[in-house]
Amino acid sequence: MKGEKTERTLSTESFIHKLKCKYNKIKIETIDERLTTVQAHRTMNELRCRI
């Protein structure tokens, strides 16, 4: 979240690069999903409170 690349980030970027080279006719997009789990937990907690 601080803009620093982790070992996992570098590994993922390498994998994406290989995919783009191998499947260069297919548009491959990346999505930052770091906060999706947090949002899912918030939603579940909100729904639980309403019951």
Side-chain angles (χ1 to χ4, degrees):
M1 300 297 282
K2 297 178 183 179
E4 300 169 358
K5 292 187 178 187
T6 64
E7 185 176 325
R8 180 45 138 173
T9 303
L10 296 173
S11 172
T12 301
E13 287 177 346
S14 174
F15 176 73
I16 292 167
H17 176 72
K18 289 175 186 176
L19 278 177
K20 287 182 176 183
C21 288
K22 186 170 184 174
Y23 302 103
N24 59 1
K25 294 183 181 182
I26 298 172
K27 185 176 181 179
I28 297 174
E29 296 182 19
T30 59
I31 299 172
D32 184 348
E33 294 189 349
R34 290 176 290 180
L35 299 177
T36 55
T37 302
V38 173
Q39 185 59 44
H41 282 276
R42 285 182 185 157
T43 301
M44 288 188 303
N45 287 334
E46 288 174 12
L47 292 173
R48 199 174 308 141
C49 291
R50 293 180 188 173
I51 296 176

